[in-house]
């Protein structure tokens, strides 16, 4: 029985190590001091976890909200490039527009501006 428990513990540890080894994502923990929009989701100021896989899938999660999207490479990694988020301002609203991860280059974030036009008669 003791031998069975030993093999069970080794099996659990080995499977956990394999799951970790298969995780090819990059991770950022950021504090954003202003409200911003990702896709169609609005996020409040606060702390967020940003994860990016090698295939370009990015998730932004925090403050009780989350969004995932497919990003495209903007440029290759440059020496000295720091990790961070870039925002674009439109109509007094901040939109997440790019993500830079050290050693990975910069990836674009799909930005969808919505504008309404007033028609006069």
């Amino acid at each position: 029985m003791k031998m069975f428990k030993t093999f069970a513990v080794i099996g659990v540890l080995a499977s956990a190590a394999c799951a970790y080894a298969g995780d090819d994502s990059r991770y950022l923990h950021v504090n954003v001091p202003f409200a911003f929009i990702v896709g169609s989701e609005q996020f409040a100021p606060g702390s967020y976890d940003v994860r990016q896989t090698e295939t370009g899938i990015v998730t932004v999660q925090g403050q009780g909200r989350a969004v995932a999207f497919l990003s495209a490479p903007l440029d290759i990694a440059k020496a000295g490039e720091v990790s961070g988020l870039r925002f674009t301002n439109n109509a007094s609203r901040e939109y997440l527009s790019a993500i830079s991860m050290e050693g990975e280059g910069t990836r674009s974030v799909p930005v969808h501006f919505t504008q309404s036009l007033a028609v006069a008669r």
Side-chain angles (χ1 to χ4, degrees), residues 4-79:
F4 177 74
K5 287 182 182 179
T6 303
F7 282 127
V9 169
I10 291 171
V12 168
L13 293 175
S15 65
C18 290
Y20 179 75
D23 183 16
D24 60 352
S25 65
R26 305 293 185 258
Y27 170 81
L28 286 176
H29 181 78
V30 296
N31 291 310
V32 182
F34 48 83
F36 63 99
I37 298 171
V38 181
S40 61
E41 295 293 319
Q42 188 149 8
F43 291 86
S47 296
Y48 292 92
D49 294 326
V50 180
R51 296 185 193 282
Q52 172 184 301
T53 67
E54 286 184 6
T55 57
I57 298 172
V58 177
T59 58
V60 178
Q61 184 175 8
Q63 305 296 316
R65 301 193 68 91
V67 66
F69 55 89
L70 185 60
S71 63
L74 284 176
D75 58 33
I76 58 174
K78 299 175 184 142

Side-chain angles (χ1 to χ4, degrees), residues 76-101:
I76 58 174
K78 299 175 184 142
E81 183 173 42
V82 296
S83 299
L85 306 179
R86 293 185 196 162
F87 296 88
T88 300
N89 186 298
N90 185 351
S92 298
R93 298 173 113 185
E94 297 292 333
Y95 292 82
L96 179 62
S97 59
I99 298 171
S100 297
M101 294 213 181

